[in-house]
Amino acid sequence: MDAPTPLQAHLLKAIQNLARDNQQLRESARADGPDPTSPELLRTLDIGEHSGEQLESVALAIGVPKAWIDYARAAGHRGLAWQPGQVLLGSGRVARQSLIAALAREVHGLQDMAGVGAAHIRREEVSADTVAQFRRVMGMTWQRLGAVSHALTLTEEERHQVWSRGSQHWSTVVAGQVRGYSDQELSMRWQQVAGVEFPVVAAPVLVLQWAGITQEDIAAQMPTSPDRMVELAATASNDHSPNAAALAVTDPDPGRDHATATAIATAIDAAGVSAPAARYLDPAGDAADLAADQRELDPAPGTELL
């Protein structure tokens, strides 16, 4: 019988406690809590569910066996909180090559995202807020994949394998793909990114950071910053228009509301956060503080990290 590593245990704790919190919120709403059909409650539940799915995805990505994840989630649904030293049956070994292959698929998805970001703003006018939301989600995805890469301690050869798209540079491959998208398909792919709730993509990144993975650890694993990825995709498309670098903007004040702050708190408080996170998670906190903390999670616009 194997035991989880400290990082694996941290993620399993978050998965189990979040599943418990989500279940308790549902039961409370059915019993004597707020209106079970209220938009705010439904949104909080939806964010909680999708945040749990993201945490499970990251756990799988760093090699946590699915059986352990299923057990932690089921225990949370039964109302049990994670306990240190919790017994987990079965082997904790996952084939490394399968983890590298899965990470490569995720990194290729990030590359595709950069291509969509570069092309959509060329074909269609979009608001600054929508651009900022796309950029926030892409930045969080970039950080998550950097954290997973750090957890897997990729070798230089494995990093090349993960980022490679065959004999051509990844940006050339992506540019060729995007050129074949109709305006409707490109808009749909843009919305698939920009329409994601920020707390859902933020939850696993914050859990990994509070488990000890730093921004420096993440940056060391990622050969290109998010903004630079968009620039490379635009260049590969032979796009030299002024809008080509439009994603590299300073985020406007997103004016995050208290419902979003509450949803973030519900999604990741289960991981056992420390005092420095209190301002970010306090639903009664100032909206400007929350916006500032969100901006801190994004790589600086136009900054080359390596």
Side-chain angles (χ1 to χ4, degrees):
M1 183 176 67
D2 296 326
T5 66
L7 178 58
Q8 290 177 339
H10 202 97
L11 282 163
L12 287 167
K13 173 185 176 182
I15 289 166
Q16 182 165 332
N17 288 356
L18 179 56
R20 180 200 58 181
D21 292 349
N22 288 340
Q23 184 65 23
Q24 289 176 344
L25 183 59
R26 280 191 218 93
E27 293 173 356
S28 174
R30 282 196 297 265
D32 55 1
D35 178 1
T37 63
S38 73
E40 183 172 342
L41 175 63
L42 292 175
R43 182 185 177 209
T44 299
L45 286 170
D46 184 67
I47 289 175
E49 290 289 343
H50 285 97
S51 297
E53 292 169 3
Q54 287 290 307
L55 287 169
E56 292 185 20
S57 176
V58 168
L60 286 171
I62 69 166
V64 180
K66 188 175 184 302
W68 291 3
I69 295 171
D70 292 342
Y71 178 83
R73 185 195 327 107
H77 287 160
R78 293 196 302 271
L80 301 176
W82 173 267
Q83 298 296 325
Q86 187 167 294
V87 176
L88 297 165
L89 302 178
S91 171
R93 297 179 180 86
V94 179
R96 181 172 181 83
Q97 191 52 45
S98 66
L99 298 177
I100 300 301
L103 178 59
R105 290 191 293 272
E106 292 258 36
V107 169
H108 294 172
L110 178 68
Q111 295 167 350
D112 294 343
M113 196 183 296
V116 169
H120 184 64
I121 55 179
R122 183 175 70 249
R123 294 197 204 173
E124 182 177 324
E125 185 176 348
V126 291
S127 69
D129 283 345
T130 305
V131 169
Q133 175 63 5
F134 185 100
R135 184 175 175 275
R136 257 194 303 275
V137 173
M138 182 175 173
M140 274 295 176
T141 304
W142 183 91
Q143 291 191 65
R144 173 172 58 81
L145 297 181
V148 169
S149 299
H150 173 78
L152 294 178
T153 59
L154 295 187
T155 65
E156 186 174 345
E157 181 179 346
E158 287 171 336
R159 192 175 303 111
H160 174 75
Q161 177 184 342
V162 162
W163 279 80
S164 175
R165 299 288 282 259
S167 59
Q168 295 179 304
H169 190 270
W170 67 262
S171 60
T172 303
V173 175
V174 167
Q177 287 179 176
V178 172
R179 273 194 294 269
Y181 294 160
S182 66
D183 290 350
Q184 182 179 9
E185 182 177 6
L186 186 61
S187 179
M188 178 191 71
R189 290 176 181 270
W190 167 278
Q191 188 55 39
Q192 284 175 342
V193 178
V196 174
E197 288 273 14
F198 179 78
V200 172
V201 290
V205 173
L206 293 172
V207 170
L208 289 167
Q209 288 180 343
W210 288 325
I213 296 179
T214 67
Q215 286 287 341
E216 289 74 19
D217 295 330
I218 291 170
Q221 293 291 336
M222 303 299 278
T224 313
S225 72
D227 289 333
R228 180 60 178 157
M229 290 180 70
V230 174
E231 291 173 6
L232 288 172
T235 299
S237 300
N238 297 316
D239 178 23
H240 304 291
S241 66
N243 286 337
L247 281 185
V249 297
T250 301
D251 287 351
D253 183 352
R256 296 329 236 179
D257 56 23
H258 290 166
T260 297
T262 302
I264 295 173
T266 301
I268 59 180
D269 184 58
V273 300
S274 56
R279 182 164 63 92
Y280 182 77
L281 293 172
D282 182 7
D286 185 83
D289 287 342
L290 179 57
D293 280 340
Q294 287 177 336
R295 286 193 292 272
E296 287 171 8
L297 294 168
D298 292 328
T303 299
E304 188 63 51
L305 298 179
L306 282 180

